[in-house]
Amino acid sequence: MPTLAESSATLQNRVQADAAVELSRLEARLPPLLSIIAGMVDLTGFFTLGNIFTAHVTGNLVVAAADAVHGGPFHLTQALAIPVFMLALAVVWLIAQVSQRDGPSLARLLLLVQLLLLAAVLTFSVIVKPSAAPHGLMAGIAVMIAVSAMACQYALLRLAMPRAVSTAVMTGNLTNTLLSLLDTLSKRRPLLPVDADRLKRSVHLLFGFLLGCVVAAYAVSVLGDWASSSFGKVARVPTSPPTVRNSG
């Protein structure tokens, strides 16, 4: 008859195995969905909030540099986007630390945080209508909320699903996809490690981001300030019992 310690160890191993299976499932299914959201948020913000990249925030450096070279106006929102993104990353890290969660449980928590931030962008945009003055203060506030939502998304992947392909580096995903395809089609020695699964996931992310951009472009043209509701509806939080990380 197994002892209490053996039964406890068996139960713990089973819980860990179930968590590993759920994490693997999330790593396969969640990034493509998040890439769609990233494309929708990026395009919606660019067209309605003063040509600011809310998902790929480093793109704002390019726009700001181009404006500086051509003598364009200084946009404070562009300058603030990156430090706000960094601050949001720090807050998400703190939430993860305080929650003492990891894996699927942490992913669900951070997905909920992101959903609340996206809902805040929608509510703020519908009430205040920042698109009426895309370079004004209200538009800047909407941008910062959206940037914070994207920071939460990217931190989620790194903290909860570190093996997942990033939804933030679409240039890198495009590069890896094309080079891997060339290696596959060539009869010569492959230059990259063969990883068909990672290649498939990168392709899914690319098409997801493109799909998000197309959906957001249509939503902006039809819904205006209600366009934020489109990516608010896409974000769904998986429901299953949370697991708590052993802090000891």
Side-chain angles (χ1 to χ4, degrees):
M1 181 174 180
T3 64
L4 180 61
E6 291 173 340
S7 299
S8 177
T10 301
L11 179 60
Q12 185 175 6
N13 291 337
R14 184 178 302 171
V15 170
Q16 291 176 347
D18 291 343
V21 171
E22 184 179 359
L23 180 60
S24 177
R25 187 182 302 116
L26 281 176
E27 288 174 340
R29 298 178 180 178
L30 189 58
L33 175 62
L34 294 180
S35 69
I36 295 175
I37 294 176
M40 295 169 71
V41 173
D42 221 15
L43 189 139
T44 302
F46 189 82
F47 278 108
T48 65
L49 300 175
N51 297 340
I52 304 295
F53 292 105
T54 51
H56 292 78
V57 291
T58 51
N60 295 310
L61 291 176
V62 178
V63 177
D67 286 342
V69 169
H70 292 285
F74 173 76
H75 297 302
L76 180 61
T77 305
Q78 285 178 341
L80 289 177
I82 292 180
V84 168
F85 183 86
M86 295 170 64
L87 178 62
L89 286 176
V91 172
V92 173
W93 176 86
L94 182 61
I95 291 174
Q97 283 284 356
V98 172
S99 72
Q100 295 189 351
R101 298 184 181 193
D102 60 7
S105 179
L106 179 59
R108 288 190 293 273
L109 174 62
L110 297 185
L111 278 173
L112 177 60
V113 173
Q114 182 184 4
L115 178 61
L116 293 175
L117 288 170
L118 293 176
V121 176
L122 167 63
T123 304
F124 186 83
S125 298
V126 170
I127 295 175
V128 180
K129 300 189 183 305
S131 60
H135 296 292
L137 175 61
M138 295 299 102
I141 294 175
V143 166
M144 297 311 157
I145 301 174
V147 165
S148 298
M150 289 298 97
C152 183
Q153 173 171 311
Y154 298 149
L156 182 160
L157 291 173
R158 298 279 67 80
L159 297 176
M161 296 180 291
R163 294 181 299 177
V165 179
S166 175
T167 60
V169 287
M170 287 302 162
T171 303
N173 288 337
L174 177 60
T175 302
N176 291 334
T177 299
L178 181 57
L179 292 179
S180 297
L181 283 174
L182 291 173
D183 264 353
T184 302
L185 297 175
S186 174
K187 296 181 180 180
R188 296 176 178 271
R189 176 182 60 87
L191 300 177
L192 297 175
V194 178
D195 191 343
D197 182 62
R198 190 172 183 85
L199 171 60
K200 182 173 67 175
R201 285 183 288 168
S202 295
V203 171
H204 288 169
L205 293 184
L206 287 171
F207 278 103
F209 188 82
L210 177 60
L211 175 61
C213 290
V214 172
V215 171
Y218 177 77
V220 168
S221 64
V222 174
L223 301 176
D225 289 310
W226 281 92
S228 300
S229 64
S230 56
F231 52 75
K233 293 176 181 177
V234 172
R236 302 291 184 184
V237 181
T239 57
S240 63
T243 57
V244 180
R245 181 174 61 202
N246 185 358
S247 58

